[in-house]
Amino acid sequence: QVQLVESGGGSVQAGGSLRLSCAASGYTYSRNCMAWFRQAPGKEREGVAVIDSDGSVSYGDSVKGRFTISQANDKNTLYLQMNSLKPEDTAMYYCASDFRRKRSLGDGFTWWGQGTQVTVSS
């Protein structure tokens, strides 16, 4: 069992930046991979970024070059640095984790946080 709690969401103007955090607790392991997803009302869930247990990262096409995923050294805190934000980035952002050490954004993840809202105004 893994518990995930997101924080850092809020409202920002287009072009601004936000940094999201995800605190993991429970049975967490360094081999777990972790990811960020987002979902806007009425739209499909979209993969944002994933980091594998070896530190390899991958990003969704819509955020490449603007967002950066990273982890604390103990692997229990996940970050998403979001720069050059656009109104279309407005969504609920979710942290996810899986016991498998490598996952793609199109794969299923076992554990999910409650989400944190990001709103970007023009």
Side-chain angles (χ1 to χ4, degrees):
Q1 298 292 325
V2 173
Q3 294 79 47
L4 304 171
V5 180
E6 302 95 333
S7 62
S11 297
V12 65
Q13 287 190 296
S17 298
L18 284 174
R19 190 192 193 196
L20 305 184
S21 298
C22 173
S25 61
Y27 296 100
T28 59
Y29 303 94
S30 62
R31 67 177 181 271
N32 287 3
C33 63
M34 300 185 74
W36 289 98
F37 291 82
R38 67 186 184 185
Q39 188 168 25
K43 296 185 177 181
E44 297 288 334
R45 185 181 65 196
E46 178 185 16
V48 175
V50 61
I51 183 165
D52 294 329
S53 60
D54 64 358
S56 298
V57 300
S58 184
Y59 297 93
D61 290 340
S62 64
V63 306
K64 287 180 179 177
R66 300 188 298 121
F67 291 9
T68 303
I69 188 171
S70 62
Q71 285 181 297
N73 289 338
D74 65 3
K75 305 294 182 70
N76 293 139
T77 305
L78 182 72
Y79 303 102
L80 183 68
Q81 179 66 47
M82 305 186 294
N83 298 325
S84 301
L85 283 162
K86 304 174 181 179
E88 51 263 44
D89 294 320
T90 296
M92 186 73 74
Y93 283 71
Y94 297 92
C95 176
S97 183
D98 198 86
F99 59 89
R100 290 158 286 201
R101 73 181 192 90
K102 286 186 176 293
R103 306 296 280 159
S104 298
L105 288 172
D107 296 329
F109 282 73
T110 301
W111 300 287
W112 294 82
Q114 84 290 346
T116 185
Q117 179 68 40
V118 172
T119 302
V120 184
S121 62
S122 59

